[in-house]
């Protein structure tokens, strides 16, 4: 692999704002500190607990897919701080437009056990009721959700409410036209939307260094959108950055952009083999910057996390994973032909013809 395509750990992190160093030490940050000044040990333990739970949910999703219970799973190991930190800054009325990897955002928005797996199992519906969580259906088309978020933000602006639309996407999506078009519209109409780029360094097998020779956060100002680049493995920095962005958008100043510099520890999806395109040394260098061990080290050094409290967080994680598995295994798949039910209020001859053709297709497999 040529040097210009290899993710550079140190240079990336040197250019990112942070509050907690990789060893858990608190470092002064005049820009971000005011946004987390009130965060006490109890609140930080809650963030730690969320990240522990998220990692367990993620590993259970992988296990369910490997056991044939899910068609696919998009792991988020390593991105816990980027997701929990930003999502916990949101107000209840804010609306999120995610990609397919934001399991932590679902957790922070109150997802039920079955919500994590319903779509990946191919069951009815969009995995959850968007109105219950204020989260749009997971988006598989790379970058499309950014346009949806801007459209929603235009509606917020028209209604005159204090909501903010938030959209999450990966570094690979920044090369898509949809993301750039969304930023054009957001800046032109001055709408309340926050763009959150989780730069996990790999767009499937393509390294971020091949897509961009400069930090991705530097693109937003070219559209007239203020941006911030933060250490995505620092949950406090992610919380603070999102509070900054939401304050900006909610106060009528228009869109904001955050790049969280993090790393995808596992495969792009369970259909991917990352060993084919990245080396073990790179993986280990990021493992030493694990977002969970970072905040745990900080809490323990301050005497604010006991073994009992850590065990309680893990127990909570195991309970949710158990319930998630039970919900998955208990799902009843509707008959294939039910896909035609409720499409129209009245019977439609064209739909009936399609139904008959599909029934004949399904019948062709019987006895095969």
């Amino acid at each position: 692999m040529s040097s210009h395509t290899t993710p550079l750990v140190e240079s990336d992190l040197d250019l990112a704002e942070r509050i907690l160093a990789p060893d858990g030490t608190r470092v002064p940050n005049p820009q971000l500190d005011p946004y987390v000044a009130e965060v006490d040990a109890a609140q930080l333990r809650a963030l730690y607990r969320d990240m522990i739970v998220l990692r367990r949910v993620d590993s259970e999703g992988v296990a369910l897919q490997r056991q044939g219970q899910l068609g696919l799973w998009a792991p988020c190991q390593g991105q816990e701080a980027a997701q929990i930190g930003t999502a916990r800054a949101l107000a209840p009325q804010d609306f999120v437009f995610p990609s397919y990897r934001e399991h932590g955002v679902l957790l922070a928005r109150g997802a039920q056990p079955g919500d994590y797996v319903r779509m990946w199992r191919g069951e009815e519906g969009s995995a959850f009721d968007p109105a219950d969580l204020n989260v749009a259906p997971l988006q598989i088309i790379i970058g499309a959700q950014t346009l949806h978020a801007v459209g929603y933000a235009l509606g917020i602006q028209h209604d005159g409410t204090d909501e903010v639309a938030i959209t999450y996407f990966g570094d690979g999506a920044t090369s898509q036209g949809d993301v750039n078009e969304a930023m054009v519209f957001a800046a032109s109409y001055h709408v309340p939307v926050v763009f959150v780029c989780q730069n996990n360094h790999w767009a499937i097998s393509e390294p971020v260094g091949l897509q961009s020779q400069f930090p991705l956060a530097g693109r937003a100002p070219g559209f007239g959108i203020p941006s911030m680049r933060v250490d995505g493995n620092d949950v406090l920095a992610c919380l603070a950055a999102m509070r900054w962005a939401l304050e900006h958008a909610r106060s009528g100043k228009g869109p904001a952009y955050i790049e969280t510099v993090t790393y995808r520890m596992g495969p792009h999806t369970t259909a991917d083999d990352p060993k084919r395109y990245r080396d073990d040394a790179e993986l280990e260098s990021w493992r030493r910057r694990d977002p969970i061990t970072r905040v745990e080290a900080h809490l323990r050094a301050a005497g604010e996390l006991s073994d009992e409290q850590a065990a309680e967080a893990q127990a909570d994680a195991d309970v949710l994973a158990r319930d998630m598995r039970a919900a998955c295994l208990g799902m009843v798949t509707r008959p294939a032909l039910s896909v035609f039910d409720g499409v129209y209020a009245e019977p439609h001859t064209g739909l009936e013809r399609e139904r008959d053709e599909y029934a004949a297709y399904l019948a062709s497999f019987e006895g095969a």
Side-chain angles (χ1 to χ4, degrees), residues 112-131:
Q112 296 302 304
D115 295 343
Y116 298 98
V117 294
R118 193 170 292 107
M119 186 193 80
W120 299 110
R121 191 174 169 87
E123 301 295 353
E124 180 186 17
S126 61
F128 49 83
D129 185 343

Side-chain angles (χ1 to χ4, degrees), residues 296-309:
E296 180 174 355
H298 177 76
L299 285 167
R300 287 193 182 276
E304 296 292 352
L305 182 68
S306 66
D307 290 343
E308 291 76 14
Q309 289 168 324

Side-chain angles (χ1 to χ4, degrees), residues 1 4-9 12 170-175 197-217 219 229 259 261-264 282 286:
M1 183 180 293
H4 78 282
T5 64
T6 303
L8 300 175
V9 174
D12 276 353
D171 50 285
T174 63
S175 295
C197 173
Q198 292 182 84
N199 177 1
N200 67 18
H201 282 80
W202 289 97
I204 308 184
S205 59
E206 182 178 289
V208 68
L210 186 60
Q211 297 184 80
S212 180
Q213 302 300 309
F214 297 94
L216 298 174
R219 297 184 179 185
R229 193 172 204 249
E259 177 192 356
V261 183
T262 183
Y263 195 79
R264 166 170 59 79
E282 178 186 305
W286 279 95

Side-chain angles (χ1 to χ4, degrees), residues 147 150 176-186 223:
L147 290 170
V150 172
Q176 293 286 342
D178 284 1
V179 175
N180 293 276
E181 292 160 11
M183 289 197 286
V184 169
F185 271 85
F223 294 92

Side-chain angles (χ1 to χ4, degrees), residues 116-185:
Y116 298 98
V117 294
R118 193 170 292 107
M119 186 193 80
W120 299 110
R121 191 174 169 87
E123 301 295 353
E124 180 186 17
S126 61
F128 49 83
D129 185 343
D132 287 344
L133 304 183
N134 268 15
V135 178
L138 304 181
Q139 180 57 257
I140 297 296
I141 300 173
I142 306 299
Q145 70 276 13
T146 59
L147 290 170
H148 305 160
V150 172
Y152 192 91
L154 282 164
I156 293 173
Q157 186 181 68
H158 178 78
D159 293 342
T161 67
D162 67 345
E163 299 171 63
V164 175
I166 300 92
T167 182
Y168 288 83
F169 51 94
D171 50 285
T174 63
S175 295
Q176 293 286 342
D178 284 1
V179 175
N180 293 276
E181 292 160 11
M183 289 197 286
V184 169
F185 271 85

Side-chain angles (χ1 to χ4, degrees), residues 79-351:
Q79 298 178 226
E80 293 87 359
Q83 295 191 14
I84 294 298
T86 55
R88 282 301 184 192
L90 305 181
Q93 71 270 23
D94 295 334
F95 206 99
V96 179
F97 293 82
S99 70
Y100 44 79
R101 201 182 303 278
E102 277 72 59
H103 314 304
V105 177
L106 297 184
L107 173 65
R109 298 302 272 180
Q112 296 302 304
D115 295 343
Y116 298 98
V117 294
R118 193 170 292 107
M119 186 193 80
W120 299 110
R121 191 174 169 87
E123 301 295 353
E124 180 186 17
S126 61
F128 49 83
D129 185 343
D132 287 344
L133 304 183
N134 268 15
V135 178
L138 304 181
Q139 180 57 257
I140 297 296
I141 300 173
I142 306 299
Q145 70 276 13
T146 59
L147 290 170
H148 305 160
V150 172
Y152 192 91
L154 282 164
I156 293 173
Q157 186 181 68
H158 178 78
D159 293 342
T161 67
D162 67 345
E163 299 171 63
V164 175
I166 300 92
T167 182
Y168 288 83
F169 51 94
D171 50 285
T174 63
S175 295
Q176 293 286 342
D178 284 1
V179 175
N180 293 276
E181 292 160 11
M183 289 197 286
V184 169
F185 271 85
S188 297
Y189 290 95
H190 220 58
V191 295
V193 61
V194 173
F195 297 92
V196 182
C197 173
Q198 292 182 84
N199 177 1
N200 67 18
H201 282 80
W202 289 97
I204 308 184
S205 59
E206 182 178 289
V208 68
L210 186 60
Q211 297 184 80
S212 180
Q213 302 300 309
F214 297 94
L216 298 174
R219 297 184 179 185
F223 294 92
I225 301 174
S227 68
M228 184 181 296
R229 193 172 204 249
V230 299
D231 185 337
N233 286 11
D234 176 356
V235 70
L236 274 180
C238 292
L239 177 68
M242 183 57 105
R243 286 178 171 179
W244 161 79
L246 290 169
E247 178 184 83
H248 180 91
R250 210 182 305 278
S251 62
K253 296 178 182 177
Y257 184 108
I258 302 169
E259 177 192 356
T260 63
V261 183
T262 183
Y263 195 79
R264 166 170 59 79
M265 300 300 292
H268 176 72
T269 69
T270 47
D272 171 44
D273 179 8
K275 292 183 179 180
R276 298 179 63 182
Y277 54 80
R278 69 183 186 192
D279 57 53
D280 292 339
E282 178 186 305
L283 186 64
E284 286 306 312
S285 69
W286 279 95
R287 201 180 300 281
R288 293 192 293 272
R289 294 164 175 81
D290 186 279
I292 296 177
T293 56
R294 180 182 306 201
V295 71
E296 180 174 355
H298 177 76
L299 285 167
R300 287 193 182 276
E304 296 292 352
L305 182 68
S306 66
D307 290 343
E308 291 76 14
Q309 289 168 324
E312 287 175 6
Q314 189 59 60
D316 289 345
D318 290 340
V319 168
L320 180 52
R322 179 201 66 196
D323 293 346
M324 173 179 157
R325 172 171 287 271
C328 179
L329 300 182
M331 290 178 181
V332 178
T333 302
R334 291 181 65 192
L337 288 175
S338 68
V339 71
F340 296 97
D341 296 345
V343 177
Y344 293 101
E346 300 294 336
H348 186 282
T349 56
L351 190 68

